[in-house]
Amino acid sequence: MTHILLIDDDAELSGMLTEYLAGEGFETITVNNGEDGIAAAISDRFGAVVLDVMLPGMSGIDVLREIR
């Protein structure tokens, strides 16, 4: 099973994406801020990351820079 990291502060949207991706056979882990997203992404457990650009405290672009 492919694991997807979802970094998004919108709980409703995260829930819908998680439900949809589960139906397609993916396991989704959701975090709601950039700092937690970076820590999770560098754990190397994920086949893909879905990243919101407008996060509180740290932009998605800054998160992406840190992950890369």
Side-chain angles (χ1 to χ4, degrees):
M1 178 178 291
T2 300
H3 294 86
I4 296 177
L5 175 61
L6 175 58
I7 307 172
D8 196 331
D9 61 320
D10 185 329
E12 185 176 342
L13 177 61
S14 296
M16 288 188 301
L17 284 170
T18 298
E19 187 177 316
Y20 174 79
L21 291 168
E24 296 296 320
F26 298 102
E27 181 177 333
T28 305
I29 304 297
T30 302
V31 296
N32 59 10
N33 64 64
E35 294 81 12
D36 292 342
I38 292 168
I42 62 176
S43 73
D44 216 19
R45 298 181 25 195
F46 301 98
V49 175
V50 177
L51 174 60
D52 182 9
V53 175
M54 295 174 45
L55 293 168
M58 176 182 238
S59 78
I61 302 300
D62 291 335
V63 172
L64 180 59
R65 283 188 185 112
E66 291 292 321
I67 292 171
R68 291 182 75 201

